Amino acid sequence: MTASDYQRIEQYMLDCMEDSAHDQEHIYRVLYVALDIAEKEEHVDCDVLTAACLLHDIGRREQFENPQLCHAAVGAEKARAFLKRNGFASVFAESVASCIRTHRFRTENSPESLEGRILFDADKIDVCGALGIARTICYQGQTGQPLYVLRENGEISDGSGDTSPSFFREYKYKLETLYTQFYTERGKEIALERQNAAATFYKNMLEEITASRRRGMELLEKNITK
């Protein structure tokens, strides 16, 4: 890929990014990890991979405005149209769009190409470890979701089996379980290096707020006259 082509694609990405949890630095982190993974694989089309990484979240704005839309599907169509409009070959545009369409965690569309599998892994690595915790809380804060919810008995839920959205639910549903869901060996290796940081944060947070709530309620009851 020429510097000129890279800059055109990069600028289009920058024009599309507004979500602070999926900002331009997220894009670059995914690109850098993807290139790291690609070093351990054979026959990777790095031009397709680079373009797909740069453009994989350009549909976020549309999904944020209309949650019924899938940013992966929207982004794939936007990427295809942009690349064709700017003189890139149709085969190249279709390959990039395919990678973007299948990069999402919550989807039944599994990536078919090697470049698509690398993008999937690199994107998932960015929700691993301490960074993944920070990004999740940032995004949920934007959408008004709480850190945790209470069970019917008044106890703080650890997120298991919850139907109401919260950080703890997201951790149990996604962040805790994604470490085995990688296509590449290098992707698995990087993810596992980060796993303990996320698990420790979740454990410490749950223990802190549970202990504080129980102690505080005991003291409140003691100080409220009947």
Side-chain angles (χ1 to χ4, degrees):
M1 179 179 292
T2 66
S4 174
D5 286 343
Y6 178 89
Q7 289 164 5
R8 275 193 295 166
I9 297 171
E10 179 185 38
Q11 187 57 56
Y12 182 59
M13 175 272 290
L14 293 173
D15 292 341
C16 292
M17 303 304 293
E18 290 184 345
D19 181 346
S20 63
H22 300 86
D23 60 2
Q24 66 190 61
E25 288 306 314
H26 163 68
I27 300 301
Y28 295 128
R29 288 193 303 268
V30 169
L31 174 59
Y32 302 152
V33 170
L35 294 176
D36 183 342
I37 295 172
E39 282 286 298
K40 303 296 183 180
E41 301 289 335
E42 295 182 354
H43 310 302
V44 179
D45 188 326
C46 285
D47 287 356
V48 168
L49 179 62
T50 298
C53 288
L54 286 174
L55 300 177
H56 78 275
D57 270 349
I58 60 174
R60 281 281 178 184
R61 180 188 303 170
E62 287 81 356
Q63 180 177 297
F64 191 78
E65 294 172 350
N66 180 3
Q68 294 185 338
L69 295 176
C70 170
H71 77 271
V74 173
E77 295 308 311
K78 288 177 68 174
R80 179 194 289 108
F82 166 78
L83 292 171
K84 287 185 176 180
R85 187 167 65 247
N86 282 270
F88 291 90
S90 294
V91 172
F92 178 80
E94 294 295 336
S95 297
V96 171
S98 176
C99 293
I100 295 171
R101 188 182 306 108
T102 57
H103 84 272
R104 195 177 183 192
F105 179 80
R106 292 181 174 88
T107 182
E108 296 179 355
N109 296 322
S110 300
E112 298 178 356
S113 67
L114 175 57
E115 295 77 20
R117 292 192 291 271
I118 293 173
L119 170 59
F120 181 97
D121 282 6
D123 191 45
K124 298 300 134 331
I125 286 169
D126 212 47
V127 290
C128 291
L131 178 60
I133 295 288
R135 290 185 61 231
T136 300
I137 292 175
C138 179
Y139 181 76
Q140 291 188 304
Q142 276 189 312
T143 55
Q145 297 179 19
L147 293 173
Y148 55 87
V149 297
L150 302 181
R151 297 196 185 278
E152 291 183 359
N153 63 4
E155 293 289 323
I156 292 172
S157 172
D158 68 356
S160 302
D162 287 353
T163 55
S164 298
S166 70
F167 165 69
F168 281 176
R169 179 182 183 274
E170 185 71 1
Y171 180 84
K172 282 296 186 182
Y173 178 77
K174 178 180 179 181
L175 302 187
E176 185 179 56
T177 62
L178 59 78
Y179 290 90
T180 59
Q181 302 179 45
F182 289 85
Y183 290 97
T184 65
E185 290 304 314
R186 178 58 180 154
K188 294 175 187 176
E189 181 183 346
I190 297 171
L192 290 174
E193 290 171 355
R194 303 184 181 192
Q195 183 175 17
N196 186 62
T200 300
F201 180 95
Y202 168 81
K203 176 177 177 292
N204 289 345
M205 184 175 178
L206 179 60
E207 290 176 351
E208 287 175 7
I209 60 177
T210 299
S212 178
R213 179 179 174 79
R214 287 176 179 169
R215 178 59 175 161
M217 291 183 70
E218 291 173 0
L219 294 173
L220 180 62
E221 185 175 359
K222 179 180 177 181
N223 285 278
I224 296 295
T225 57
K226 297 182 180 178

